[in-house]
């Protein structure tokens, strides 16, 4: 199988490429990534000379480039490339529309022209908006609240339309919040771990009672591998972990494991449009494919903490660049 992975130098994409090369000894992966602030070739340093792996620096909104690339022949495209941070989308939504909407449209046109046999759109539970009770099923309405979520919902709708109109073999997955190695330290879990290691303040938005369902990235990659092989065109598959936690619970738990004081937490003003709760109903993928997350939160979070402790130079380089303390631009200490 010849895969084209977009955005493979980011967090989930790089974990996915590692996972696929390990699980499928005959598969080949080409990774196209623009290398934005979030893309980092160090994530793939260990496989850069692997004969089954090729890297192409490029932008998925570039029609000619995508056309050229697809003429090389691929069996499947897995579209991770995106602007992915809600706080950045609040400051400037433009790159979110460019990459997440326009970029997806360019890829879909490429699938149409080159008759690629499978297109996997990596989406998010954030397209469903916020639910205080009940969980999101694949039939839940799309009610995005952040510019990020709206741009992902837009690309999901394009996927739906290209399936309905052109019968393209498109499958969409919507996963909950991922955590694990190589996550850019502007997202909550790596931000908490790296700030705690440096004894720096940890901003808690609002009352800290917002709920997310946290999944270890390798479990997500395993779900994607299954959906890639067994998923039905036109279908949507939710992926989650039944592991809901409030931000306060999560931060306190991490500080406890790291033996750091709770007074590192600083309550700051709330994120505008802050979704109260995301909760995934993953009955469909469980019953159709027998998939379930296999990493307990205890194991996943302790692996992740160890990874950040052992890879300090990785995150120190990033933190000294275009990163973190976004809250200082958007949120004020209360
Ligand atoms: P990330 O920000 O870590 O990585 C995104 C990657 O895309 C980067 O390598 C970046 O350089 C690349 N990229 C950005 N614009 C590009 C463009 N125009 N052309 C080519 N490459 C471009 O994101 P992530 O957390 O790994 O998320 C990957 C995907 O999974 C995204 O589509 C996101 O919406 C989705 N998702 C993420 C989560 C999560 O918790 N992180 C949960 C569910 C779904
Ligand atoms: P984040 O990792 O940005 O993921 P998302 O908003 O896409 O779910 O944030 C997770 C939760 O943590 C969300 O409720 C916002 C909150 N949060 C903080 O309280 N402080 C922070 O510094 C960050 C980055 C997030």
């Amino acid at each position: 199988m010849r895969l084209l992975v977009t955005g493979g130098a980011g967090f989930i994409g790089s974990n996915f490429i590692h996972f696929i090369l390990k699980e499928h000894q005959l598969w080949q992966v080409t990774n196209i990534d623009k290398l934005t602030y979030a893309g980092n070739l160090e994530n793939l340093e260990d496989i850069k000379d692997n004969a089954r792996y090729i890297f192409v620096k490029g932008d998925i909104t570039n029609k000619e480039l995508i056309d050229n690339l697809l003429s090389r022949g691929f069996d499947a495209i897995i579209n991770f490339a995106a602007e992915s941070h809600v706080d950045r989308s609040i400051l400037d939504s433009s790159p979110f529309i460019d990459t997440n909407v326009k970029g997806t449209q360019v890829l879909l046109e490429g699938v149409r022209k080159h008759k690629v046999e499978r297109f996997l759109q990596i989406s998010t539970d954030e397209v469903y908006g916020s639910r205080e009770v009940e969980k999101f099923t694949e039939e839940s309405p799309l009610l995005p609240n952040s510019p990020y979520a709206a741009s992902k919902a837009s690309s999901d709708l394009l996927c739906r339309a290209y399936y309905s109109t052109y019968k393209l073999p498109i499958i969409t997955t919507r996963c909950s919040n991922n955590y694990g190695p190589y996550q850019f330290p502007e997202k909550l879990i790596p931000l908490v771990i790296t700030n705690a290691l440096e004894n720096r303040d940890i901003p808690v938005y609002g009352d800290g009672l917002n709920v997310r369902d946290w999944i270890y990235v390798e479990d997500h990659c395993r779900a994607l591998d299954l959906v890639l092989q067994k998923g039905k065109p036109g279908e949507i598959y939710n992926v989650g972990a039944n592991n809901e936690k409030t931000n306060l619970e999560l931060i306190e738990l991490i500080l406890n494991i790291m033996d750091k004081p709770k007074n590192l937490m600083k309550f700051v003003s709330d994120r505008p449009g802050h979704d109260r709760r995301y909760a995934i109903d993953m009955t469909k993928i469980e019953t159709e494919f027998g998939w379930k997350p296999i990493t307990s939160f205890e194991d996943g979070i302790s692996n992740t903490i160890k990874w950040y402790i052992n890879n300090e130079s990785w995150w120190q380089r990033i933190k000294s660049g275009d990163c973190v303390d976004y809250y200082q631009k958007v949120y004020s200490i209360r």
Side-chain angles (χ1 to χ4, degrees):
M1 182 103 119
R2 295 189 66 197
L3 306 186
L4 178 65
V5 169
T6 73
F11 164 48
I12 307 175
S14 60
N15 276 283
F16 180 76
I17 292 173
H18 281 116
F19 182 89
I20 288 294
L21 292 177
K22 189 171 62 159
E23 289 294 309
H24 301 284
Q25 295 302 319
L26 296 176
W27 290 19
Q28 297 171 17
V29 175
T30 297
N31 170 21
I32 176 172
D33 198 297
K34 184 181 174 181
L35 299 182
T36 66
Y37 78 94
N40 186 349
L41 287 181
E42 283 182 53
N43 301 1
L44 300 155
E45 183 65 22
D46 56 328
I47 54 156
K48 71 176 193 312
D49 298 322
N50 187 318
R52 294 188 290 125
Y53 171 72
I54 296 172
F55 175 69
V56 177
K57 183 175 186 308
D59 189 328
I60 59 163
T61 66
N62 183 335
K63 217 170 149 230
E64 288 70 38
L65 174 72
I66 294 300
D67 193 27
N68 274 332
L69 195 56
L70 291 183
S71 64
R72 295 185 197 174
F74 290 97
D75 300 308
I77 300 177
I78 301 95
N79 183 27
F80 293 97
E83 289 293 334
S84 67
H85 191 42
V86 171
D87 291 331
R88 286 183 189 252
S89 81
I90 293 169
L91 288 179
D92 179 10
S93 63
S94 309
F96 289 75
I97 305 306
D98 290 342
T99 291
N100 303 4
V101 186
K102 173 78 181 156
T104 303
Q105 185 264 343
V106 167
L107 292 171
L108 291 171
E109 279 299 317
V111 172
R112 187 152 92 95
K113 178 169 171 191
H114 295 275
K115 305 199 181 341
V116 181
E117 281 165 22
R118 200 144 269 231
F119 182 86
L120 196 53
Q121 170 69 3
I122 311 303
S123 189
T124 164
D125 59 0
E126 304 194 25
V127 297
Y128 297 120
S130 187
R131 276 281 168 87
E132 301 266 344
V133 283
E134 300 173 344
K135 295 187 169 194
F136 308 123
T137 71
E138 288 81 357
E139 277 75 46
S140 297
L142 300 187
L143 297 167
N145 290 314
S146 71
Y148 161 67
S151 69
K152 292 296 289 187
S154 305
S155 48
D156 285 14
L157 291 178
L158 275 174
C159 287
R160 177 190 155 85
Y162 272 69
Y163 170 74
S164 301
T165 307
Y166 306 111
K167 304 289 173 261
L168 299 188
I170 297 165
I171 306 170
T172 300
T173 57
R174 295 185 179 140
C175 190
S176 60
N177 287 61
N178 285 224
Y179 69 97
Y182 301 113
Q183 187 166 28
F184 197 87
E186 67 187 353
K187 304 279 168 62
L188 183 65
I189 287 185
L191 182 125
V192 171
I193 298 170
T194 57
N195 278 18
L197 286 171
E198 296 185 301
N199 297 310
R200 288 169 58 185
D201 288 353
I202 292 163
V204 180
Y205 301 167
D207 60 8
L209 297 179
N210 305 71
V211 173
R212 300 292 184 263
D213 172 12
W214 294 96
I215 183 170
Y216 192 59
V217 64
E218 197 173 84
D219 283 328
H220 183 195
C221 292
R222 212 163 29 78
L224 295 178
D225 184 18
L226 263 179
V227 172
L228 183 63
Q229 296 182 69
K230 299 187 172 175
K232 287 196 218 84
E235 293 292 313
I236 294 164
Y237 299 91
N238 281 350
V239 182
N242 282 334
N243 181 40
E244 290 182 42
K245 297 206 182 312
T246 66
N247 294 337
L248 271 181
E249 274 172 330
L250 176 72
I251 299 169
E252 287 183 8
L253 199 144
I254 295 172
L255 292 176
N256 253 332
I257 298 174
M258 295 179 71
D259 205 16
K260 294 286 181 180
K262 293 209 178 28
N263 65 12
L264 286 179
M265 291 193 288
K266 293 286 173 304
F267 284 87
V268 300
S269 56
D270 208 357
R271 173 186 275 174
H274 198 175
D275 285 329
R276 195 64 171 165
R277 173 172 173 261
Y278 301 140
I280 277 279
D281 180 330
M282 52 187 187
T283 311
K284 182 173 174 179
I285 191 170
E286 281 180 323
T287 51
E288 287 193 18
F289 306 139
W291 175 89
K292 328 188 152 323
I294 55 178
T295 312
S296 69
F297 186 69
E298 291 66 31
D299 287 349
I301 199 69
S302 66
N303 286 347
T304 305
I305 292 170
K306 276 189 211 131
W307 189 87
Y308 281 89
I309 290 173
N310 293 332
N311 290 276
E312 187 167 340
S313 59
W314 181 91
W315 57 263
Q316 283 288 7
R317 263 194 294 284
I318 291 171
K319 278 199 155 188
S320 58
D322 178 16
C323 177
V324 298
D325 291 351
Y326 245 71
Y327 77 97
Q328 287 181 352
K329 293 189 188 162
V330 186
Y331 309 101
S332 50
I333 306 273
R334 288 193 289 151

